[in-house]
Amino acid sequence: MLTRRFAICNTLGAQSLNSTCLVFFRDGSSSLLRAEEELRRYKFDVRFDGTSLFASRFQSQEFQITLAQLPHVLIEARKIAQGTEYAQALGECGSRFEISIPDLDAALNEINSLIEVQGALQDASSGYLFLPWNEQIIKPWDAS
């Protein structure tokens, strides 16, 4: 379990880290506006409350997306990637999108919406996706 290896600060407040996935990227390479554009391109309904995006589709959960750009993000990216093939790349990522999943079990049963939210945010940032529930790191899609 992730919490035994290291702790991660979650700017989404009381949400459990196990119900949050993270997309790490280099500072300045994306924004909430860019994320909103990509989510809309993926056909999500998106609203902004001043600090977070909320993305959903017909009969899907609403996912909350927050941008974190605090000093702990880079430290945590390095800890997550330590000993992996992504250590160098993630070691340069001082920003991340945090995707809050209201009901992880339901999201995993209807996985398409979650995968497409994750994909849209990776497209928006060329970022690395981290899944805390299985400690998997997924590199950005390389279209070349």
Side-chain angles (χ1 to χ4, degrees):
M1 182 177 202
L2 176 68
T3 54
R4 284 188 283 228
R5 285 186 41 197
F6 48 86
I8 296 208
C9 296
N10 181 353
T11 61
L12 295 173
Q15 276 290 344
S16 165
L17 181 60
N18 287 333
S19 297
T20 304
C21 51
L22 310 169
V23 177
F24 289 91
F25 54 94
R26 289 182 179 173
D27 290 339
S29 68
S30 196
S31 65
L32 282 175
L33 178 60
R34 179 75 182 106
E36 180 180 4
E37 291 168 354
E38 279 300 316
L39 288 163
R40 289 188 190 285
R41 194 173 71 79
Y42 274 71
K43 308 292 186 222
F44 281 92
D45 295 321
V46 183
R47 64 183 175 83
F48 180 63
D49 75 351
T51 57
S52 297
L53 297 174
F54 295 85
S56 64
R57 286 186 175 148
F58 178 72
Q59 295 186 340
S60 81
Q61 296 186 59
E62 184 175 68
F63 301 96
Q64 180 181 0
I65 297 110
T66 303
L67 176 61
Q69 296 177 303
L70 300 169
H72 72 272
V73 172
L74 181 61
I75 294 165
E76 291 167 0
R78 289 176 176 162
K79 286 180 182 178
I80 287 168
Q82 187 174 20
T84 73
E85 64 186 291
Y86 306 114
Q88 183 175 353
L90 274 166
E92 300 172 359
C93 295
S95 298
R96 73 180 177 211
F97 291 119
E98 298 176 351
I99 307 164
S100 174
I101 305 162
D103 183 342
L104 181 59
D105 289 334
L108 294 175
N109 284 333
E110 195 283 296
I111 195 70
N112 290 341
S113 293
L114 178 58
I115 288 172
E116 290 189 4
V117 165
Q118 294 165 338
L121 296 175
Q122 282 190 284
D123 287 351
S125 64
S126 297
Y128 289 78
L129 174 63
F130 177 64
L131 306 173
W133 52 86
N134 65 6
E135 299 185 18
Q136 184 177 9
I137 299 170
I138 301 169
K139 69 180 183 176
W141 171 255
D142 182 10
S144 58

